[in-house]
Amino acid sequence: MQPTQLIKVALPIPLKQTFDYQLSEKELEKATLGARVKVPFGNRQLIGLIVELSPRPSIDITRIKPIIELIDESPVMPEHLILLLRWASKYYQASLGEALFSALPPPFRHGKALKQEKYRKWQLNTPDVTAENLNVHLSQIRKNAEKQKELLTTLSQSSDGIYEQSLRSMGFKLQQLKTLKQKKLITDNNVIPEIEAYKRRDSDDSDQLLLNDEQKQAVQSAISGEHCFQAYLLKGITGSGKTEVYLEIIEHFLVQGYQALVLVPEINLTPQTLLRFQARLPDAKLVVHHSGMNNSERLEAWHFCQTHRASVLIGTRSAVFYPFKKLGCIIIDEEHDTSYKQQDGFRYHARDIAVKRAKEHNCPVILGSATPSLESYINAREKKYKLLTLNERPGSIQLPQVELIDIQTRPLQAGLARPTIKSIESHLKNGHQVLVFLNRRGFAPTLTCTECGWIAKCNHCDARLTYHNKGHVLRCHHCNYQTSAPNHCQDCHQSTLKLLGQGTQQTEAFLEQTYPDTPLFRIDRDSVSGKHQMETLYHQILAEDAALLVGTQMLAKGHHFPKVTLVVVVAADDGLFSADFRAEEKFSQLLIQVSGRAGRAQQPGQVIIQTRHSHHAILQAISRLDYDHIATTLAHERELMTLPPFSAITNIRGEGKNESDTFTLLQNIAEKITTGLDTKQQRLVGGGSISGPLPSLLPRKADRYRFYLTLKTPTKPQMQKWLSSIQTILADFTPNPQIRISLDIDPVEIG
Ligand SMILES: Nc1ncnc2c1ncn2[C@@H]1O[C@H](COP(=O)(O)OP(=O)(O)OP(=O)(O)O)[C@@H](O)[C@H]1O
Ligand SMILES: [Zn+2]
């Protein structure tokens, strides 16, 4: 066997290496990088991706097994994407195979064949067969094979071939094509259908808004670099028209024949967003990617991007891995949103990958937000990203007035203070809409006994059970355990049970009772399932005048409800005090986003934030909607404590059924890592430190105990060096099926 008949294959398994297989000569002719193969692996058969042709063998050549089948004759994944995922799998310490296969649409993972006929063109086998000598060849075809003759004649009339799809719609069969090919009369090749160039529309079109000066300036800066890499942070207050800026930038690149990738958090990929893009870019071939799509939709979207038949892809996190022919720009909307971080399996950060990707494609990337992540904030401050700012809302629209109402000593009704209720009343009376925000579903988060202090807790998690009035049940929001709600205390058996705290159902019940004639819409994960329902609700809300909207962040982020003039935050303090060093950042981002839903059209907006800590500096700054102050303060604190972005961290998580075994395993890993650091390595990793094991924020979830270790180094490259040197240490801990160890690089959440 020649080494040239070998390939390296990445398999969707946690093992980090790639595997050698051999091909027959015939297979070798057809094999390409990025094509799939079916291979034997132990006593299983797996689908893998070819990541190297003719490599040097990594094991004794006689032990290399042949593949079972070559599935594709053209790549399902282009080379540039394989390179990107190779980098990402290294950075995030995942196996290359797992990274590649998590990027591919699911049907590809299961070995489904790539549909080629749409793109296959057939023509005469020139120069042997031509229109001039056609009769000679026709006479070689069997007399009664009329269809074959007709097919050959048809092909002779087209100089550059005919798509297989067109031939089939003319009534020709695949078998006839194959027979003529066997006779060497015709040939086929895969071609990419041309797409029409995008045409800029007249600027007097009604869908196109006249940008204000700030917007114009932002667009100008972002397109001035033309086609070369530059990251921009578009910091624009809520309702300042960031989307219009994105659209203008995208159009600039479409006109030049480029494609655009737009990443949005799951919650923002609403039909309104799509309509807005379609209305503004009517000639753009738009495709979407989100978790609710079925397999064939995903496959089609993938094909369309790969062949440049789609010019704009709007998608959630994993859209960052779509193949593009000619990528012109990347937009990351609400770049601070933590849903860009994948929280299990291949734990990548789509924002960071997108920036890397823009570098590879040599194109600009625009990160937009009213409340940028501290990472991007600092990158802009250090001039790594160019800062573009929008400080005003277009037209004469003002930012809302924010008022803090201290509820420490006030009587509350269903969590609402008297002045809050009064304001709600006055906005409703004026025919406006009120959005009541409460980041907790269910009726009440705690059921307790007033006699003995018993609290209803989940049997499987370290968490309280939430009472849901629908069905009179207690439910765990972490593992979905559910039980019917007791009428007596489970400890002292007295009927002295009491519900504490508010969830959306309780606020809904109270408001429904108080304003029986006002339409009320509750929007949370229990009441709204799926995009269509949200879409219907959205239209109903738009059609109403005075109305009450009660909901969780599902309602509070990214939406544009023009009639909402009052936003009420029922309980602001959840999340202000937490062991998570990012808690204050996330808290401020959410509250400023929620506040930004008020007064987005002509009517001025008002925001009421109820809190028990109205003097807290963060809440004070939120009430001025002064995110800059918050970001600067938090950045200063992080710098003092050398926390990210002023250092790099990695969490090594352990999850197991037995608490002490899990703890001990992590402790042993920590010890091994510490003793493994000789002085030279110490220098290399900049005196990196390791802490823990500590219990996760939720120490037990679904009967598994969770601990984590934290590695910290001054910089990301140092972290990368350290991680590659401790790989063998981690691999040495024989995989214990009872305990799962995973690495989370640049984590956004503690456990
Ligand atoms: N130049 C403009 N002239 C008039 N209206 C505009 C202009 N730019 C944007 N708008 C309108 O302002 C509203 C808010 O714009 P958009 O949704 O783009 O803001 P945003 O910055 O993305 O807001 P958020 O971050 O709060 O989601 C929209 O209704 C939009 O049509
Ligand atoms: Zn639970």
Side-chain angles (χ1 to χ4, degrees), residues 295-475:
N295 281 347
S296 59
E297 288 168 336
R298 282 188 190 206
L299 211 51
E300 189 171 79
W302 181 273
H303 272 316
F304 275 27
C305 289
Q306 191 170 15
T307 55
H308 199 163
R309 291 196 298 158
S311 39
V312 182
L313 171 68
I314 308 183
T316 51
R317 188 171 59 227
S318 50
V320 75
F321 293 122
Y322 266 59
F324 291 98
K325 243 200 120 82
K326 208 176 160 196
L327 190 59
C329 67
I330 304 179
I331 310 280
I332 310 165
D333 188 27
E334 310 293 359
E335 67 86 34
H336 64 278
D337 201 289
T338 47
S339 75
Y340 284 127
K341 179 82 197 276
Q342 167 85 21
Q343 298 288 17
D344 51 28
F346 173 36
R347 297 168 183 255
Y348 62 93
H349 201 309
R351 179 189 63 215
D352 297 347
I353 303 257
V355 173
K356 172 82 181 170
R357 208 164 172 195
K359 234 178 243 174
E360 305 293 326
H361 287 265
N362 215 6
C363 74
V365 52
I366 292 98
L367 293 78
S369 176
T371 52
S373 63
L374 283 195
E375 277 74 10
S376 301
Y377 203 88
I378 298 301
N379 277 329
R381 197 167 82 181
E382 292 176 349
K383 307 270 187 291
K384 284 185 198 144
Y385 295 174
K386 266 194 193 158
L387 183 64
L388 315 170
T389 35
L390 306 177
N391 287 324
E392 283 169 15
R393 286 183 168 181
S396 52
I397 299 164
Q398 296 298 309
L399 274 178
Q401 292 295 325
V402 184
E403 186 187 347
L404 299 176
I405 292 192
D406 203 306
I407 52 169
Q408 184 67 28
T409 54
R410 285 179 199 272
L412 302 175
Q413 271 180 291
L416 299 170
R418 271 311 307 155
T420 311
I421 296 173
K422 269 196 161 151
S423 296
I424 293 177
E425 241 157 49
S426 100
H427 281 261
L428 291 179
K429 229 180 236 155
N430 288 332
H432 300 150
Q433 299 183 350
V434 176
L435 188 159
V436 181
F437 168 74
L438 187 66
N439 217 5
R440 224 187 250 148
R441 8 184 219 113
F443 190 87
T446 305
L447 177 69
T448 186
C449 171
T450 51
E451 273 305 308
C452 73
W454 171 83
I455 288 174
K457 287 187 183 147
C458 177
N459 289 335
H460 310 281
C461 308
D462 288 329
R464 294 177 180 187
L465 292 170
T466 301
Y467 175 71
H468 285 248
N469 59 357
K470 190 174 170 201
H472 186 56
V473 290
L474 290 171
R475 201 182 292 162

Side-chain angles (χ1 to χ4, degrees), residues 22 61 108 164 295 311 444 458 521 541 703 709 717 720:
Q22 63 165 285
I61 200 157
F108 281 157
E164 182 166 308
N295 281 347
S311 39
C458 177
F521 302 89
I541 293 169
D703 292 319
L709 297 168
Q720 287 295 312

Side-chain angles (χ1 to χ4, degrees), residues 426-617:
S426 100
H427 281 261
L428 291 179
K429 229 180 236 155
N430 288 332
H432 300 150
Q433 299 183 350
V434 176
L435 188 159
V436 181
F437 168 74
L438 187 66
N439 217 5
R440 224 187 250 148
R441 8 184 219 113
F443 190 87
T446 305
L447 177 69
T448 186
C449 171
T450 51
E451 273 305 308
C452 73
W454 171 83
I455 288 174
K457 287 187 183 147
C458 177
N459 289 335
H460 310 281
C461 308
D462 288 329
R464 294 177 180 187
L465 292 170
T466 301
Y467 175 71
H468 285 248
N469 59 357
K470 190 174 170 201
H472 186 56
V473 290
L474 290 171
R475 201 182 292 162
C476 174
H477 286 182
H478 301 282
C479 71
N480 285 329
Y481 165 78
Q482 182 173 310
T483 179
S484 59
N487 295 318
H488 296 91
C489 171
Q490 302 294 283
D491 226 8
C492 71
H493 308 289
Q494 303 202 54
S495 49
T496 42
L497 291 180
K498 194 182 169 196
L499 292 167
L500 295 180
Q502 280 79 42
T504 45
Q505 291 176 351
Q506 194 174 151
T507 312
E508 174 191 31
F510 170 76
L511 292 171
E512 231 162 25
Q513 206 179 20
T514 320
Y515 308 106
D517 300 327
T518 309
L520 188 147
F521 302 89
R522 192 184 99 217
I523 296 173
D524 58 32
R525 251 198 299 142
D526 297 319
S527 65
V528 181
S529 60
K531 296 218 153 40
H532 294 301
Q533 210 180 339
M534 186 68 211
E535 172 71 353
T536 316
L537 276 170
Y538 185 77
H539 287 292
Q540 285 173 0
I541 293 169
L542 285 192
E544 295 291 349
D545 286 325
L548 284 155
L549 284 52
V550 177
T552 56
Q553 53 173 322
M554 196 169 173
L555 173 70
K557 288 207 238 168
H559 292 289
H560 184 69
F561 297 111
K563 291 184 190 162
V564 169
T565 53
L566 174 65
V567 165
V568 173
V569 179
V570 176
D573 306 330
D574 289 1
L576 187 54
F577 307 100
S578 160
D580 181 356
F581 71 85
R582 293 184 202 273
E584 291 181 319
E585 178 188 350
K586 291 181 200 163
F587 173 80
S588 329
Q589 289 165 340
L590 180 58
L591 253 60
I592 290 179
Q593 293 286 341
V594 175
S595 304
R597 300 313 105 198
R600 289 169 73 92
Q602 295 315 317
Q603 299 298 329
Q606 186 193 353
V607 178
I608 293 177
I609 298 178
Q610 299 194 143
T611 168
R612 291 176 205 281
H613 303 276
S614 59
H615 296 293
H616 195 295

Side-chain angles (χ1 to χ4, degrees), residues 136-201:
V136 184
H137 297 290
L138 282 173
S139 62
Q140 287 169 6
I141 298 176
R142 262 206 340 261
K143 266 209 177 84
N144 54 356
E146 285 307 326
K147 264 294 188 195
Q148 287 181 29
K149 289 183 187 167
E150 198 186 319
L151 175 57
L152 196 63
T153 315
T154 307
L155 285 170
S156 74
Q157 288 157 2
S158 155
S159 56
D160 62 347
I162 301 176
Y163 283 114
E164 182 166 308
Q165 214 179 17
S166 316
L167 289 168
R168 293 180 76 163
S169 60
M170 293 176 207
F172 296 110
K173 300 258 168 7
L174 198 58
Q175 192 49 50
Q176 294 152 0
L177 287 161
K178 280 187 179 159
T179 312
L180 291 187
K181 187 181 175 183
Q182 269 163 12
K183 290 183 176 159
K184 298 202 162 33
L185 293 172
I186 61 173
T187 57
D188 59 336
N189 56 357
N190 287 320
V191 284
I192 291 150
E194 310 257 321
I195 67 151
E196 276 177 46
Y198 182 83
K199 290 186 270 323
R200 184 184 276 276
R201 289 173 316 140

Side-chain angles (χ1 to χ4, degrees), residues 255-269:
V255 171
Q256 298 179 48
Y258 286 105
Q259 293 167 288
L261 165 64
V262 183
L263 295 177
V264 292
E266 182 81 45
I267 219 157
N268 282 34
L269 190 51

